[in-house]
């Protein structure tokens, strides 16, 4: 029987229906579409804003301001309500109840029903719901989605789930609307006079879920956007070429459908897959010909393939060829044979991608964006464009040539991060085409980075002259820290090249801490590189070492790094980790070693704890580390407004002998002695003691010669402190 009284969301749970069965939860079925009220489009955004504002008005208003959200009905199976209609509204109400309960810190006993709202559409949607129910958000954040995504339980793959993406958008809208509102929970869960309710109809064991849902959604079904586009595009082609029109209508409904079918989405549709790949090819042509990239697919098709474009026939032929090339190529086998994912495999090129089927990725994600982040990256666009150039010119390019050339392309792409931009794509695509078809690298074009182009041209000759070393070169190019840039290895000394490759891989195998590598390198020399006002020595993250090991116009003194690392790679013997420790111990105990900044950085690992690997020597106008003990250890890579410390004070604060008796802040603060509130500062030739008014009250002088310590200032301070 249909209830004439509106039902609150909370009252669906634990409700008894005919036969005394109790509804224990709500489960959105597989057949239902993804949650859509958080989609990003002008129309959906307008509807979402109106809906959330209406929910707020109902909760803040009087009894007459209550809103009823029409009928919600569905099957009840094993105590679960399987909604046939109302899934979108139920999901929004779930998120609203979750938000208000968390914001108002409602007791868990009152909110257990939230954990009984689940999705069967995919595991990620269900798992996401479970995780947010269990978490305690930081409501001071401007966007709760940023906080959620930043949690260690949030999985990157969830961002590809359209339901999760949509939920995050709705959470942000609810937060924006309700963040300044309080005391809404009791009203939201009022069963007698619900301000937000719906007419609820449970259908006990009808067994008609799928068929009823399909019937409900099949009446008067309009043409899809794709069907509209295809009809319009056929007219565009026909005005350009009757012959190509006949080819298109044959391929688009038969051959290309069969080819794309395995990439179909969860609704068994390939419409979006086709349009994503169509847009990719059309945008690449637009870049090549200097055309404006039209946002609307209809306008894009007319601009690239319409009668007013003098290259329309050639463009259509390239479009068709770009689809046809996959008819005779098993894309999964092809990409698996050419590329590896994250490690070197002989005979393949490592792309450092989670997934290497570029065609599949393009079909699924080319037109997907999250803010400025592209679902299909510009790097992948260049790789796929190069692959298509090969597949459409296979009669002129051997498989061996393609593997060599796509490796060069990988190297250029991975080491041109400042050059790979949309405004340079015309030249970048020209570079790719010239490389893949002709094997030519132009140093003069404005495409990829010139430094890497010079390296790649040199390696082309080097490979010819040193065929027995090519396998080793390929292996070191595929190292995750180098990604094709091997200048640091030194190609000139071919006699020791194989040994250096072996030693590099054993040194940077992920098992030896970067701090230990840094300390060992500092025993051999100052290998730092200068970036404006700060020096990069490499921190304890991969990124800092990836930067350090590759030349860049953004940094100076790369030769210093190359010289020191080459010496280390030439000398490593036996177990690499033990060898490094031997270097460090010998340096620490050598009485002839000057106690300059390198001595302290080698002896005390705490000196190297800043995440950025960057250091700023202040009062050092010539950037020569003129004041060796006046330095900041930077935790953020580019600004002293972020967390930073004196590494000397930080080392004292971490020393087991005194750490419980001192305290150190994070923004260049002085070290505080807890029982006296005296503050300590590291000066060029002494330790300075100041009172609460920053007036110096004492000094601990460090013995020096020519401005360099001749006694260990760390040990001297601790001895003085513990006296």
């Amino acid at each position: 029987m249909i209830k004439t009284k509106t039902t609150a969301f909370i009252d669906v749970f634990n409700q008894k229906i005919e036969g005394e069965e109790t509804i224990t939860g709500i489960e959105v079925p597989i057949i239902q579409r993804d949650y859509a009220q958080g989609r990003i489009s002008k129309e959906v955004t307008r509807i979402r804003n109106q809906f959330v504002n209406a929910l707020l008005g109902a909760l803040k208003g009087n009894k007459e301001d209550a809103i009823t959200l029409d009928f919600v009905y569905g099957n009840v199976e094993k105590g679960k309500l399987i909604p046939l209609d109302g899934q979108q509204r139920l999901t929004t109400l779930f998120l609203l109840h979750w938000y208000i309960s968390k914001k108002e810190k409602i007791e868990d006993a009152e909110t257990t029903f939230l954990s009984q709202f689940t999705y069967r559409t995919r595991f990620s949607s269900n798992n996401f719901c479970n995780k947010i129910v269990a978490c305690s958000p930081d409501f001071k954040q401007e966007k709760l989605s940023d906080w959620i995504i930043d949690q260690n339980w949030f999985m990157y793959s969830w961002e590809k789930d359209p339901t999760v993406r949509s939920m995050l958008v709705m959470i942000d809208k609810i937060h924006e609307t309700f963040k300044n509102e309080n005391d809404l929970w009791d009203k939201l869960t009022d069963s007698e006079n619900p301000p937000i309710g719906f007419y609820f109809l449970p259908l006990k064991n009808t067994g008609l879920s799928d068929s009823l849902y399909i019937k409900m959604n099949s009446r008067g079904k309009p043409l899809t956007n794709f069907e509209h586009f295809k009809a319009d595009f056929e007219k565009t082609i026909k005005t350009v070429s009757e012959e190509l029109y006949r080819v298109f209508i044959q391929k688009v409904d038969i051959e290309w459908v069969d080819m794309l079918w395995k990439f179909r989405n969860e609704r068994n549709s390939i419409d979006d897959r086709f349009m994503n790949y169509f847009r990719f090819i059309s945008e690449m042509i637009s870049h090549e010909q200097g055309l404006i990239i039209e946002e609307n697919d209809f306008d894009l098709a007319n601009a690239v393939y319409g009668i007013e474009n003098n290259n329309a026939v050639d463009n259509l032929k390239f479009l068709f060829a770009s689809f046809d090339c996959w008819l005779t190529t098993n894309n999964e086998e092809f990409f698996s044979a050419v590329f590896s994912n994250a490690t070197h495999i002989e005979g393949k090129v490592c792309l450092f991608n989670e997934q290497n089927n570029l065609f599949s990725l393009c079909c699924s994600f080319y037109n997907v964006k999250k803010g400025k982040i592209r679902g299909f990256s510009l790097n992948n666009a260049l790789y796929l464009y190069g692959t298509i150039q090969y597949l459409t010119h296979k009669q002129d390019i051997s498989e061996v040539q393609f593997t060599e050339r796509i490796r060069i392309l990988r190297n250029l792409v991975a080491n041109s991060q400042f050059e790979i931009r949309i405004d340079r794509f015309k030249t970048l695509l020209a570079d790719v085409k010239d490389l893949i078809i002709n094997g030519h690298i132009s140093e003069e074009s404005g495409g990829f980075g010139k430094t890497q182009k010079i390296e790649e041209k040199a390696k082309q000759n080097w490979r010819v002259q040193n065929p027995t070393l090519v396998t080793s070169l390929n292996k070191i190019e595929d190292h995750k820290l180098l990604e094709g840039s091997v200048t640091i290895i030194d190609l000139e000394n071919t006699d020791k090249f194989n040994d250096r490759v072996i030693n590099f891989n054993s040194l940077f195998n992920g098992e030896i801490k970067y701090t230990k590598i840094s300390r060992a390198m500092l025993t051999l020399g100052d290998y730092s590189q200068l970036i404006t006002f700060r020096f990069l020595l490499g921190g304890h993250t991969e990124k800092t070492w990836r930067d350090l090991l590759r030349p860049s116009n953004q940094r100076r003194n790369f030769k210093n790094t190359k010289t020191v690392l080459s010496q280390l790679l030439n000398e490593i013997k036996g177990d690499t980790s033990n060898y490094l420790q031997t270097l460090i111990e010998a340096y620490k105990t050598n009485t002839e070693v000057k106690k300059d900044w390198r001595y302290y950085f080698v002896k005390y690992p705490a000196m190297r704890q800043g995440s950025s690997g960057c250091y700023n020597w202040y009062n050092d106008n010539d950037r020569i580390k003129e004041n060796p003990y006046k330095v900041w250890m930077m935790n953020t890579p580019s600004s002293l407004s972020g967390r930073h410390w004196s590494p000397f004070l930080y080392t004292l604060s971490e020393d087991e002998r005194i750490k419980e008796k001192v305290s150190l802040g994070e923004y260049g603060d002085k070290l505080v002695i807890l029982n006296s509130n005296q503050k300590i500062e590291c000066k060029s030739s002494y330790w300075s003691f100041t009172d609460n008014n920053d007036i110096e009250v004492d000094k601990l002088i460090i013995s020096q010669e020519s401005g360099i310590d001749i006694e260990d200032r760390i040990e001297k301070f601790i001895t003085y402190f513990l006296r």
Side-chain angles (χ1 to χ4, degrees):
M1 180 181 296
I2 298 177
K3 289 189 177 183
T4 56
K5 182 182 177 182
T6 57
T7 300
F9 178 80
I10 192 172
D11 291 328
V12 173
F13 303 85
N14 297 318
Q15 181 174 157
K16 287 189 176 181
I17 58 173
E18 293 180 13
E20 298 301 308
E21 185 171 9
T22 300
I23 297 176
T24 59
I26 298 174
E27 186 177 81
V28 178
I30 293 174
I31 198 167
Q32 286 274 18
R33 65 188 176 125
D34 295 299
Y35 177 54
Q37 289 186 356
R39 288 180 181 171
I40 303 299
S41 72
K42 289 183 179 179
E43 182 61 16
V44 175
T45 299
R46 180 186 65 79
I47 295 172
R48 178 170 58 252
N49 291 342
Q50 287 181 338
F51 188 26
V52 176
N53 288 335
L55 297 177
L56 175 63
L59 286 173
K60 291 189 66 179
N62 299 317
K63 185 176 180 180
E64 57 270 18
D65 295 315
I67 59 175
T68 302
L69 305 178
D70 208 346
F71 283 97
V72 170
Y73 51 93
N75 245 14
V76 178
E77 299 175 0
K78 297 180 180 179
K80 298 281 188 179
L81 171 67
I82 314 297
L84 296 173
D85 190 41
Q87 169 233 346
Q88 303 290 326
R89 287 163 285 158
L90 289 172
T91 302
T92 299
L93 291 178
F94 161 73
L95 294 175
L96 179 64
H97 282 69
W98 168 80
Y99 178 89
I100 292 177
S101 69
K102 294 294 183 181
K103 185 170 182 291
E104 296 184 11
K105 296 181 171 57
I106 304 302
E107 294 291 334
D108 290 345
E110 293 186 53
T111 63
T112 54
F113 66 96
L114 292 176
S115 64
Q116 299 304 314
F117 182 89
T118 60
Y119 263 75
R120 285 189 64 194
T121 50
R122 54 172 62 86
F123 173 77
S124 54
S125 305
N126 185 39
N127 203 17
F128 174 78
C129 292
N130 292 337
K131 290 296 185 183
I132 63 170
V133 167
C135 78
S136 298
D138 179 4
F139 288 94
K140 295 179 182 178
Q141 297 290 324
E142 182 177 350
K143 292 182 67 176
L144 279 189
S145 63
D146 288 344
W147 182 89
I148 292 171
I149 292 171
D150 194 46
Q151 300 311 296
N152 57 13
W153 47 259
F154 188 90
M155 300 179 65
Y156 170 75
S157 60
W158 292 354
E159 295 185 78
K160 300 175 183 178
D161 182 330
T163 289
V164 174
R165 289 201 309 267
S166 196
M167 283 185 175
L168 289 171
V169 172
M170 180 57 82
I171 286 171
D172 284 340
K173 180 58 188 176
I174 292 173
H175 183 49
E176 175 187 332
T177 306
F178 285 82
K179 62 184 176 184
N180 296 320
E181 305 297 334
N182 297 296
D183 302 321
L184 297 178
W185 179 254
D186 288 343
K187 194 168 185 181
L188 179 64
T189 56
D190 184 349
S191 298
E192 289 301 317
N193 297 293
I196 303 167
F198 44 81
Y199 297 115
F200 177 48
L201 176 62
L203 307 175
K204 178 74 169 68
N205 293 326
T206 65
L208 298 175
S209 297
D210 290 4
S211 60
L212 182 56
Y213 178 81
I214 292 169
K215 289 177 182 178
M216 286 165 49
N217 289 276
S218 63
R219 292 172 295 177
K221 181 181 178 183
L223 288 176
T224 66
N225 289 337
F226 173 71
E227 288 165 334
H228 277 297
F229 170 82
K230 188 171 66 170
D232 192 77
F233 190 42
E234 286 175 0
K235 295 176 184 177
T236 299
I237 299 173
K238 197 169 185 179
T239 61
V240 173
S241 168
E242 285 277 354
E243 180 184 353
L244 291 177
Y245 163 74
R246 288 191 293 272
V247 172
F248 178 76
I249 60 176
Q250 168 69 21
K251 291 180 178 294
V252 74
D253 287 327
I254 301 176
E255 296 178 5
W256 295 346
V257 168
D258 290 343
M259 180 261 293
L260 290 170
W261 184 246
K262 61 184 172 184
F263 303 123
R264 62 191 180 277
N265 61 27
E266 59 275 12
R267 296 182 297 277
N268 285 329
S269 170
I270 63 164
D271 295 0
D272 58 338
R273 299 340 191 202
F274 178 93
M275 291 307 303
N276 283 341
Y277 189 60
F278 169 86
R279 175 161 280 276
F280 167 73
I281 298 299
S282 302
E283 287 192 6
M284 296 306 104
I285 295 173
S286 296
H287 288 306
E288 285 182 321
Q289 298 176 7
L291 303 176
I292 295 173
I293 306 294
E294 301 288 351
E295 292 187 13
N296 182 284
D297 291 329
F298 294 84
D299 294 336
L300 179 65
N302 286 326
V304 178
Y305 309 106
I307 193 69
E308 294 183 3
N309 189 319
N310 294 331
N311 299 308
V313 170
D314 289 339
N315 293 347
L316 285 167
K317 288 180 179 179
F318 180 68
L319 174 69
F320 295 179
S322 298
F323 275 93
D324 284 346
C325 68
W326 300 111
L327 296 176
T328 55
T329 303
N330 183 314
N331 55 81
E332 292 180 1
E333 293 179 0
F334 173 81
F335 287 113
S336 178
V338 174
F339 299 123
S340 66
N341 289 71
T343 57
H344 172 74
I345 298 177
E346 190 172 343
K348 300 184 181 184
V349 179
C350 183
L351 277 195
F352 307 99
N353 277 352
E354 291 183 11
Q355 182 180 340
N356 288 332
N357 189 330
L358 300 172
F359 180 61
S360 172
L361 287 172
C362 181
C363 291
S364 298
F365 300 111
Y366 184 72
N367 211 25
V368 176
K369 290 183 181 179
K370 182 177 181 181
K372 294 183 179 180
I373 300 176
R374 299 170 179 269
F376 191 70
S377 69
L378 295 181
N379 288 5
N380 281 340
L382 294 170
Y383 294 141
L384 181 55
Y385 178 81
T387 300
I388 292 169
Q389 290 299 324
Y390 162 64
L391 293 176
T392 54
H393 293 83
K394 284 185 73 171
Q395 69 278 9
D396 303 316
I397 308 168
S398 69
E399 291 183 11
V400 172
Q401 287 176 319
F402 171 66
T403 303
E404 292 174 350
R405 293 170 187 178
I406 202 70
R407 171 174 287 279
I408 294 172
L409 178 58
R410 189 282 310 274
N411 297 346
L412 291 170
V413 168
N415 295 283
S416 300
Q417 64 181 101
F418 298 107
E419 289 80 13
I420 296 180
R421 310 188 305 263
I422 283 294
D423 61 308
R424 296 176 69 124
F425 240 57
K426 180 175 183 177
T427 310
L428 287 167
L429 293 176
D431 276 359
V432 173
K433 194 171 185 177
D434 195 18
L435 170 62
I436 297 299
I437 296 177
N438 304 314
H440 181 245
I441 303 170
S442 171
E443 291 183 33
E444 305 308 318
S445 74
F448 296 106
K450 190 169 183 177
T451 299
Q452 193 62 31
K453 283 185 175 183
I454 292 172
E455 178 181 320
E456 294 307 317
K457 289 198 75 169
K459 284 190 293 192
Q460 279 183 315
N461 296 328
W462 191 92
R463 290 172 188 275
V464 173
Q465 296 167 4
N466 302 280
T468 60
L469 300 179
V470 168
T471 299
S472 289
L473 176 57
N474 291 345
K475 184 175 183 178
I476 199 63
E477 282 187 339
D478 285 349
H479 195 285
K480 63 182 179 179
L481 294 181
L482 301 182
E483 295 183 355
S485 175
V486 298
T487 301
I488 194 76
I489 300 298
D490 187 9
L491 295 175
E492 295 173 7
N493 187 351
T494 55
D495 290 343
K496 291 189 175 182
F497 181 74
N498 277 332
D499 290 338
R500 285 199 302 278
V501 169
I502 292 170
N503 288 339
F504 185 94
N505 281 309
S506 66
L507 184 63
F508 295 102
N509 62 3
E511 297 176 5
I512 302 174
K513 290 184 177 180
Y514 289 125
T515 303
K516 187 173 187 178
I517 298 171
S518 171
R519 293 167 68 202
M521 288 177 64
L522 283 172
T523 68
L524 303 177
D526 178 3
Y527 66 87
S528 62
Q529 295 175 39
L530 178 63
I531 315 171
T532 59
F533 67 91
R534 60 202 183 279
F535 289 88
L536 174 65
L537 282 87
H540 45 80
T541 64
E542 280 184 10
K543 182 186 182 308
T544 60
W545 284 85
R546 193 178 294 121
D547 290 343
L548 190 71
L549 297 176
R550 306 188 203 182
S552 169
N553 292 330
Q554 312 298 316
R555 300 186 301 275
R556 290 160 49 192
N557 307 332
F558 176 77
K559 287 184 178 179
N560 292 354
T561 310
K562 182 176 180 179
T563 298
V564 171
L565 183 61
S566 292
Q567 182 180 346
L568 180 60
L569 295 179
N570 287 336
E571 294 177 358
I572 289 176
K573 297 177 182 65
D575 180 84
T576 301
S577 184
N578 289 340
Y579 183 80
L580 299 184
Q581 193 61 43
T582 300
L583 281 181
I584 294 168
E585 294 302 324
Y587 187 86
K588 285 163 53 178
T589 56
N590 186 345
T591 56
E592 307 236 343
V593 167
K594 293 181 179 180
K595 292 179 174 57
D596 59 6
W597 67 270
R598 282 172 52 205
Y599 164 82
Y600 292 102
F601 277 40
V602 171
K603 182 174 180 180
Y604 299 102
M607 293 266 181
R608 304 303 319 281
Q609 292 308 301
S611 293
S612 73
C614 288
Y615 294 79
N616 168 240
W617 271 264
Y618 51 96
N619 297 334
D620 181 34
N621 294 332
D622 294 328
R623 304 299 173 202
I624 57 174
K625 307 182 184 77
E626 186 175 4
N627 303 291
Y629 313 108
K630 300 178 75 172
V631 56
W632 297 122
M633 176 171 64
M634 301 169 63
N635 204 51
T636 50
S638 59
S639 173
L640 285 171
S641 61
R643 296 165 63 202
H644 61 281
W645 312 266
S646 160
F648 294 94
L649 296 181
Y650 187 89
T651 299
L652 291 177
S653 73
E654 292 293 305
D655 193 287
E656 291 294 335
R657 293 168 289 181
I658 67 171
K659 65 184 301 183
E660 301 300 327
K661 301 175 183 179
V662 297
S663 174
L664 182 65
E666 297 184 333
Y667 296 91
D669 295 339
K670 297 177 182 179
L671 186 73
V672 177
I673 300 175
L674 295 177
N675 64 359
S676 67
N677 282 329
Q678 278 191 330
K679 299 176 183 177
I680 312 300
E681 188 174 1
C682 184
K683 298 288 189 177
S684 292
S685 59
Y686 62 94
W687 292 105
S688 172
F689 295 76
T690 58
D691 61 19
N692 283 332
N693 297 316
D694 287 330
I695 297 174
E696 189 170 76
V697 295
D698 198 3
K699 293 182 179 181
L700 180 61
I701 305 297
I702 310 299
S703 301
Q704 292 186 328
E705 289 182 1
S706 302
I708 301 299
D709 293 356
I710 58 175
E711 58 181 336
D712 188 317
R713 63 174 59 210
I714 298 292
E715 289 299 327
K716 182 164 186 175
F717 178 89
I718 292 174
T719 301
Y720 175 81
F721 186 84
L722 296 176
R723 70 191 189 283

